[in-house]
Amino acid sequence: MDKRGTTPRDVAHRLREGMARGVLSFPLTSMGSDGALDAEAYRAYLTAQLATEPGAVFPACGTGEFFSLDEEEYRTVIRVTVEVADSRLPVVAGTGYGWAQALRFARIAEEEGADALLVMPHYLVEASQDGLVEQLRRISAGTGLPLVAYQRGQVTFSADALRRIADIPTVIGLKDGHSDLDRLQRLTLAAPDDFLFFNGAATAEVQARAYTTVGVPAYSSAVHAFAPEIADAFFSALREQDDAAVDRLLREFYVPLVELRDRAPGYAVSLVKAAARLRGLPVGPVRAPLTDPGPADIADLEKVLNAGLDLVSAARRGA
């Protein structure tokens, strides 16, 4: 039980309810033109994001450029998020690197009132299954916050390791970024019934239907960071099994967006920020080592974005 008297089971229950209600929001972190964190711009941006009622909010994660934030900047981002969320939905803060550094961020998140942590892949080295489990044990031992593990990059859990991390009292779920549905099915079957899973692919909507076939209907949405109306339209169509609407959104918006995203390394974040700027959202540029898209890619991005917005507008007029 944490300092506010909330158990990991309570947090997992809130997250499960949120995951059934809407997409999971991974907000961008606002930077000024000089690259400095702009806390007030972030507050304004996040207020608009949360007004669309996502299922939960995950600040300072991959989309939020966790990897480029120092500890004081991280503290500010988590504090503002908790204030704006105002207990309306769970706040799951990112943490990562080796377990010792991950705990420094974890303790900041705990001090600022976050509800849980998303443990992102450790830095640089490959690790054994025993090492991956021990990493989570060490983080769990140093913070009262519940943990969601994230398998992506060099982190991949076996079914046996999944059982072992699920036995850690504060580990409540797994975000999957590999999209290996064979392995993921084995993990879902190995996990306890109350263990949370969600789709964390780079543009999760493209694979959302496939994930539901292995019992993982919940997903994070980078599109929500710049076009929540498109993200919500897709979520509703998927939930209502409106295959025609899902196909239209995939064909005319999501697949072209993915093809554009794949043009350059880092576009999974920098293209999202560019789309947010196209919509007038106060997010600013990305930080190095990421780079902002050039004029040609921005022009193509604007066409894709307008196509998605037009689809949603047409659907609303026809409703």
Side-chain angles (χ1 to χ4, degrees):
M1 184 175 292
D2 74 4
K3 64 185 179 183
R4 290 161 297 167
T6 301
T7 67
R9 185 181 294 273
D10 294 332
V11 175
H13 178 71
R14 287 187 69 206
L15 276 170
R16 187 178 299 280
E17 288 185 333
M19 289 157 65
R21 184 179 66 248
V23 299
L24 305 178
S25 172
F26 282 67
L28 298 157
T29 299
S30 299
M31 308 293 183
S33 58
D34 59 354
L37 175 68
D38 188 334
E40 290 313 304
Y42 177 67
R43 184 184 297 275
Y45 163 72
L46 187 67
T47 298
Q49 284 283 297
L50 298 194
T52 66
E53 300 183 344
V57 59
F58 289 67
C61 293
T63 306
E65 298 179 81
F66 166 78
F67 49 84
S68 76
L69 299 175
D70 68 28
E71 291 176 21
E72 285 310 305
E73 291 170 330
Y74 176 86
R75 181 182 295 279
T76 298
V77 169
I78 304 308
R79 177 186 298 143
V80 170
T81 306
V82 170
E83 289 172 357
V84 174
D86 194 25
S87 301
R88 291 174 294 157
L89 75 172
V91 175
V92 184
T95 191
Y97 306 116
W99 63 263
Q101 184 63 49
L103 276 175
R104 292 175 69 93
F105 285 102
R107 288 165 183 153
I108 292 169
E110 191 167 7
E111 289 166 6
E112 297 302 330
D115 297 291
L117 296 163
L118 176 67
V119 181
M120 291 182 286
H122 61 271
Y123 172 67
L124 191 61
V125 296
E126 300 289 335
S128 68
Q129 294 295 303
D130 287 346
L132 297 179
V133 173
E134 183 62 18
Q135 165 93 335
L136 286 169
R137 283 183 177 147
R138 295 251 182 174
I139 297 171
S140 175
T143 176
L145 294 180
L147 309 178
V148 176
Y150 188 4
Q151 64 169 16
R152 185 179 182 142
Q154 71 270 39
V155 175
T156 303
F157 292 101
S158 67
D160 175 67
L162 190 283
R163 293 186 191 97
R164 290 157 65 194
I165 68 170
D167 283 340
I168 300 170
T170 60
V171 176
I172 61 174
L174 178 76
K175 178 184 181 184
D176 175 69
H178 285 303
S179 304
D180 180 342
L181 297 185
D182 179 292
R183 178 182 292 272
L184 187 58
Q185 181 70 91
R186 299 179 194 204
L187 297 183
T188 62
L189 294 172
D193 290 342
D194 60 351
F195 201 75
L196 303 175
F197 287 90
F198 64 93
N199 166 6
T203 305
E205 287 91 342
V206 173
Q207 301 182 64
R209 277 194 295 205
Y211 269 79
T212 63
T213 66
V214 294
V216 183
Y219 60 90
S220 59
S221 176
V223 169
H224 188 274
F226 64 88
E229 59 269 71
I230 298 176
D232 289 345
F234 185 91
F235 180 86
S236 296
L238 186 68
R239 181 174 54 185
E240 295 163 10
Q241 299 183 332
D242 185 346
D243 288 335
V246 168
D247 286 344
R248 280 193 300 274
L249 285 162
L250 288 173
R251 185 180 300 111
E252 299 182 38
F253 173 73
Y254 283 100
V255 170
L257 181 67
V258 168
E259 291 172 348
L260 183 54
R261 183 200 71 202
D262 290 346
R263 288 184 186 176
Y267 268 19
V269 177
S270 57
L271 204 70
V272 172
K273 249 191 172 174
R277 291 195 301 273
L278 283 173
R279 303 208 70 195
L281 299 172
V283 297
V286 292
R287 275 183 174 174
L290 298 179
T291 54
D292 289 309
D297 287 347
I298 292 291
D300 289 342
L301 174 61
E302 189 167 18
K303 293 175 186 175
V304 172
L305 176 57
N306 287 338
L309 294 172
D310 288 346
L311 272 178
V312 173
S313 294
R316 288 175 176 171
R317 288 195 301 270

